[in-house]
Amino acid sequence: MEVKLHAARTLVGRLRGAAAVRDAGATAAAVAELRRASKDDPEVRAPLADAGAVPFLASQLTAPSTSAAAEDAAAALLNISLSAREQLMSAPGILDALARAIRAEDYAAAHHAAAVVASLLCVDAYRPIVGAKRALLSALVSLLLPSKARGTRATKDALKALFGVALYPLNRAALVELGVVRALFGLVMTDGRTGIVEDATAVVAQVAGCAESLDAFAAVSGVRILADLVEPGGAATGRARENAAAALLNLVVAGGERAVAEVLDVGGAEEAVRELAEDGEASPRGKAKAEALLRALEEGAAGARRRHEHRFADFLNGLVVSDPYFSSPASATTRDDASRVTLG
């Protein structure tokens, strides 16, 4: 490891020296060399981080240098993150630098930067930290928008990162506020790439698990779209179909009676869920989600009926108390009998 550390110090020293004299060409060459080394030799990644490579690489993400330097810097950070996430995460300003790189016009740097975020989010403890960076979340959401279409890799990297963010429940409301629901359903409805739709529905399923998502789903007819995907043949793949069922389940759990009512209001939704639960070709996960959703819908509907019956009974009782001309069947019979005796 001493050899690796020496090599890492040498590489970082070259970058430091080139940056100090503001030699753009030498800086770009040093960054490219760091990228190659971190790609070809996994054992040098942690020593590079220990030698101080991360702050210098981060500074190159949006530096007024060449596009190639920004791409190489983002790729080198991605490589280093695979072996030294703690060193990367502890570098001052790293998340802000990644957010700026994702927002930049350089497609290659943007998708590598999004991949770095996704890599960091493999660590549970980093999810609330990343979730607190609204500028970073907003940048990731922007990669899903049609106006920012950057190709499959950038979109998939953004979806992976957003999935990691949404795994922490307290991050979901912030994502909803930043417009992730509309962006995700836009992909589901218009993107023909199978992998993108599968990943988008996976993120939808996570984001659905917060109360704030119900109104956002309603604004884009999300429940109906998901119900259509659950129907046999509604989704291009079984995974997308099962993700849609998981999304409806999470929405019902988070949204309660109102969410149940919205799902049941979609014609054929309950039957589609039942068919998935009974589908012999569905995965165990998919069947389990469908069965749980079906129970939730049945219980929610039964509970709503019971509450409606109780409210109606209370309403009738209120009429009896407030108006002498209304009565229960038993009291009506008694009064009729009394009337007949009096008249006779």
Side-chain angles (χ1 to χ4, degrees), residues 53-144:
V54 174
F56 286 102
L57 291 171
S59 69
Q60 295 302 310
L61 289 176
T62 55
S65 57
T66 66
S67 174
E71 177 186 351
D72 287 338
L77 288 170
L78 175 59
N79 295 335
I80 291 171
S81 75
L82 301 177
S83 302
R85 291 189 177 95
E86 183 176 355
Q87 294 97 314
L88 192 69
M89 192 66 176
S90 62
I94 184 62
L95 296 180
D96 295 332
L98 291 170
R100 290 194 295 272
I102 294 170
R103 286 282 192 187
E105 294 302 318
D106 189 326
Y107 160 75
H111 92 71
H112 283 308
V116 174
V117 178
S119 175
L120 292 174
L121 288 165
C122 291
V123 180
D124 293 356
Y126 297 161
R127 291 170 187 162
I129 300 172
V130 173
K133 294 287 187 178
R134 291 182 67 88
L136 179 54
L137 301 187
S138 178
L140 290 169
V141 172
S142 75
L143 285 182
L144 309 184

